[in-house]
Amino acid sequence: MRAVVFENYEQFPSLADVPKPKPGPGEVLLRVAGAGACHSDVSVYRHFKEGSPGAQKPPFVLGHENSGWVEELGEGVSDRVEVGAAYLVYGPIGCGHCRKCARGQDTYCENAATMPYLATGLGRDGGMAEFMTVPAHHLVPLGDADPVDAAPLSDAGLTPYHAIKQALPHLAGGGRHALVIGLGGLGQIGVQILRALTGATVIATDVKPQALAAAEKNGAVTVAADDRQVEEIREITGGRGVDAAFDFVGITPTIATAAASVAQGGRVTVVGIAGGTHEFSFFTNPYESYVTNTYWGTVEDLWEVVDMYRAGQIRPEVERFGMEDALEAYRRLEAGDVSGRAVVVPREG
């Protein structure tokens, strides 16, 4: 079968023929409907070096945002998993035995350092292929919803949903404000989630005018990323600042923007993994506000994301690519030339 393979550190992936996988005990074989191309993939093959934090040993098939139809059940899989039905794939894979994994928090597995991989598409073969294997308990049913458009939700929907869910106490009540920094795939869905789950005024900022326009269509008040950015954000909030800020970029300047925009008692969540840093000072930090981070989300969160998708509350913007054009999808992603999320569709129909 055809697949996009990460073959070596700091090397662009290749389109190759690889063996069709077989499901092991507790797994299913999934015929892939769609696989989202994510900036995390770019970090995998462009930036990570052997031994660096987060580096996953090649070779493996990329693709950690996946959906598809169950083709075959492995040994011991309950018949409640329906052959032929469409499912969204929860990507993170923990040890399955620690306290975190028992709660569905595979992203925070207590034994992650001893695991051979982080997730499907991150150390273990992912969904940029015609078929993939998945732990059966990591499937979330999609019903009659479009599985191709749903594919990015397993990261681009789950990650902002988890970050926002954690911050909901800060956004409860009237007159609240939320800030979204970075309006790529995650940020645009983040705006939609905030609008659906809270009554807060959502302020969104980005360097791209087309990204700001898309956020405005989803109900956000937008601010250009220029020299008056923080000043304008504070003007919108009456000088008070935002109650919760979500940085989907994660470089030092965007974290600084979030921290400068937050109100007393507010929460800054750094979601983007660009490696930025934040300098704390007692005299400059608004009292009882804090900076934190989140990573992906739980299986339970993904079920709730699918509920929102099926209810029409979130709508990923998807650009589809055939398998033979998968490498072009990554080239365009790196160039910033993809609107929304690039999704590779291995086989049409």
Side-chain angles (χ1 to χ4, degrees), residues 174-189:
R176 303 303 173 106
H177 293 81
L179 174 63
V180 174
I181 298 175
L183 295 170
L186 276 72
Q188 295 289 356
I189 296 178

Side-chain angles (χ1 to χ4, degrees), residues 1-3 5 16-22 29 61 125 129-132:
M1 66 175 186
R2 301 289 275 167
V5 182
D17 289 311
V18 301
K20 180 180 176 181
K22 296 181 179 180
L29 179 68
V61 176
D125 284 341
E130 295 176 58
F131 294 91
M132 67 183 298

